[in-house]
Amino acid sequence: MWYLQRLSILIMTVCLAGCAGMPSKPVSSEAPASAQAADHGVQLTVDSPSLRLKQWKSDGSHMTSVHGRLLLDNQPVAGATVHTSQSQIDVPTGKDGSFTLTVDQSLLAETKLSIASLKDATVSGKHLSPEMSKRLLTASAMLSVNYPIEVLKVEDDPEDASKVQVHGRVIAGSGDVVSYFQVDKYRMGGVVKDANGRPVENAVVWFDRDQGEGFGKSTPTDQDGRYSIFYWPEDEETNLSVTIGTKRYTLPEGRVFKMPENTSVEIDITLPEEGTVITDHPPYLVSRTSSGAMYTGVLVGLSLPKDVPYSVTIPNKRGEFTVTVAKKVWKQRPAFFETRMSKFVEGRLTWGDTLPAGFVQPAAEDPKHIPFTYDERPAHSTAI
């Protein structure tokens, strides 16, 4: 069963990958060096350190309670305050050292638990000595919310004998729809210039349809007059205007701009020397389609140092992806990470496309120690 059951997490033994309870041979990333020298008298324990990512639900069913406990030399620590990196709300430990966290399972995250305060803490009814407090304040643990990962097969890379292709799958919950990496918005950008061709700084480009629908505004133009807006274009007529402070420039009365569908666009605007009406034809108003779009969604990568190259494909509708990595690296059983990335990409991407080395990087609080299941029976064996 994928879910890890009761797991006592000693000081800094926060790496979830490689834990017992996984079928066949799960991966593990190396435990932090500090775990080797941990004070085994301190235990920060959570009963469900790895939770399955869920879709947000209006009934609140994506929220769950996680129970934990703080012990010192096997004795409960009461009155301590436990802090989580994902919440501003700290929780106290009870007489038996227990505490309860409310976790949002719709948020892909790796949350660090630590001790925020020992001001009112006691052990066996007695206040803590300075030495006891020092030991407890070093305690930490990790709580991960992510999609489970299954490795389907591992085979030699047909183009490079020193590499393998790891075919995996992100496992969503029953009925959940996963938003894998796909187009989120397109970009409208360009340059705003004055009548003499000089870039205009701090101008804002606006567009909207009648009755205010499809409203959007750009970033203020920079020193080169450049601006950008990310939007979802529709094949409809759009009002286009430019504001500088309280001054507003518009197209001639009755004239509109027609956005192209499903593509990014560059619109260069030259403001009039007098008045506030923009001349709506070249060279004063120049429009051209451009490549690229803002993509967003869940991507998978390997938790490796940045100087270790590998490539990964965009998960398809079934969550299937392929990682291509050196055999000697895969032998070390690196853990996976998951990230919900938003990124502007020149050109076009789609499911199954291979992303270049370094493209996928985890954010600070993304889960980075995700174990995986893999049946290594002969039918799935490879050269490694």
Side-chain angles (χ1 to χ4, degrees):
M1 187 171 180
W2 183 84
Y3 285 107
L4 300 178
Q5 301 301 320
R6 185 76 174 172
L7 174 65
S8 295
I9 306 179
L10 302 181
I11 300 175
M12 294 305 292
T13 54
V14 301
C15 182
L16 301 179
C19 296
M22 304 296 294
S24 302
K25 191 172 182 181
V27 283
S28 63
S29 60
E30 295 183 5
S34 56
Q36 304 297 325
D39 182 345
H40 296 289
V42 179
Q43 291 176 290
L44 184 57
T45 305
V46 287
D47 59 3
S48 300
S50 194
L51 300 172
R52 184 191 293 266
L53 189 67
K54 294 182 176 180
Q55 279 189 288
W56 182 91
K57 301 288 186 181
S58 59
D59 62 2
S61 58
H62 59 285
M63 305 297 294
T64 191
S65 294
V66 174
H67 305 287
R69 204 174 184 203
L70 180 63
L71 303 176
L72 179 64
D73 297 327
N74 292 319
Q75 297 297 311
V77 180
T81 303
V82 178
H83 173 75
T84 68
S85 60
Q86 291 286 331
S87 173
Q88 299 299 317
I89 301 175
D90 296 335
V91 296
T93 59
K95 291 182 179 180
D96 61 352
S98 66
F99 57 91
T100 300
L101 305 172
T102 300
V103 179
D104 186 344
Q105 283 187 249
S106 71
L107 299 178
L108 184 74
E110 189 171 68
T111 301
K112 182 178 180 180
L113 281 63
S114 58
I115 308 303
S117 174
L118 294 168
K119 179 182 177 182
D120 300 316
T122 60
V123 173
S124 300
K126 297 180 181 179
H127 291 292
L128 306 179
S129 68
E131 185 270 340
M132 295 165 71
S133 296
K134 182 178 179 180
R135 291 164 63 195
L136 284 165
L137 287 172
T138 61
S140 66
M142 299 300 271
L143 174 64
S144 180
V145 177
N146 57 265
Y147 290 117
I149 290 177
E150 175 187 19
V151 169
L152 304 172
K153 65 178 180 178
V154 181
E155 59 186 3
D156 291 332
D157 180 3
E159 297 182 0
D160 189 338
S162 69
K163 297 179 180 179
V164 290
Q165 292 183 340
V166 181
H167 301 273
R169 181 168 68 97
V170 175
I171 306 173
S174 177
D176 278 0
V177 177
V178 182
S179 177
Y180 297 117
F181 207 54
Q182 56 191 314
V183 173
D184 178 45
K185 296 177 181 178
Y186 290 94
R187 181 176 68 178
M188 183 174 83
V191 177
V192 177
K193 299 176 290 185
D194 65 17
N196 296 310
R198 295 186 295 257
V200 176
E201 193 172 1
N202 294 321
V204 176
V205 179
W206 301 71
F207 70 90
D208 67 89
R209 296 191 292 275
D210 290 338
Q211 285 79 49
E213 297 177 353
F215 166 82
K217 70 173 183 176
S218 76
T219 57
T221 52
D222 60 18
Q223 61 183 5
D224 297 319
R226 299 206 63 85
Y227 69 92
S228 62
I229 309 171
F230 289 96
Y231 72 116
W232 189 265
E234 298 180 9
D235 188 16
E236 293 189 27
E237 296 176 341
T238 301
N239 301 313
L240 180 68
S241 61
V242 179
T243 60
I244 305 174
T246 59
K247 195 169 186 178
R248 187 178 186 88
Y249 297 85
T250 64
L251 296 178
E253 186 176 355
R255 302 288 287 176
V256 293
F257 186 91
K258 192 168 185 178
M259 292 287 186
E261 257 190 309
N262 299 327
T263 185
S264 294
V265 62
E266 293 280 325
I267 305 173
D268 293 339
I269 304 168
T270 299
L271 301 178
E273 187 170 9
E274 296 182 358
T276 58
V277 177
I278 301 169
T279 303
D280 63 341
H281 58 76
Y284 307 102
L285 186 65
V286 178
S287 174
R288 58 193 178 278
T289 58
S290 63
S291 62
M294 176 68 77
Y295 288 80
T296 188
V298 175
L299 292 175
V300 179
L302 291 176
S303 292
L304 295 169
K306 290 185 177 181
D307 60 349
V308 179
Y310 69 91
S311 64
V312 62
T313 63
I314 300 172
N316 63 21
K317 293 181 179 180
R318 296 180 297 277
E320 297 166 345
F321 63 91
T322 300
V323 173
T324 302
V325 66
K327 289 181 179 178
K328 62 181 180 180
V329 174
W330 182 248
K331 283 182 179 180
Q332 302 303 312
R333 293 296 193 264
F336 286 94
F337 71 80
E338 292 172 357
T339 183
R340 193 179 298 276
M341 180 181 287
S342 292
K343 189 170 185 177
F344 183 81
V345 179
E346 295 287 350
R348 291 187 179 275
L349 293 175
T350 189
W351 294 312
D353 284 353
T354 299
L355 300 172
F359 184 94
V360 185
Q361 295 293 337
E365 294 186 337
D366 284 336
K368 305 177 188 67
H369 305 98
I370 303 173
F372 61 78
T373 58
Y374 176 38
D375 187 349
E376 291 186 297
R377 293 173 297 180
H380 297 281
S381 63
T382 71
I384 67 171

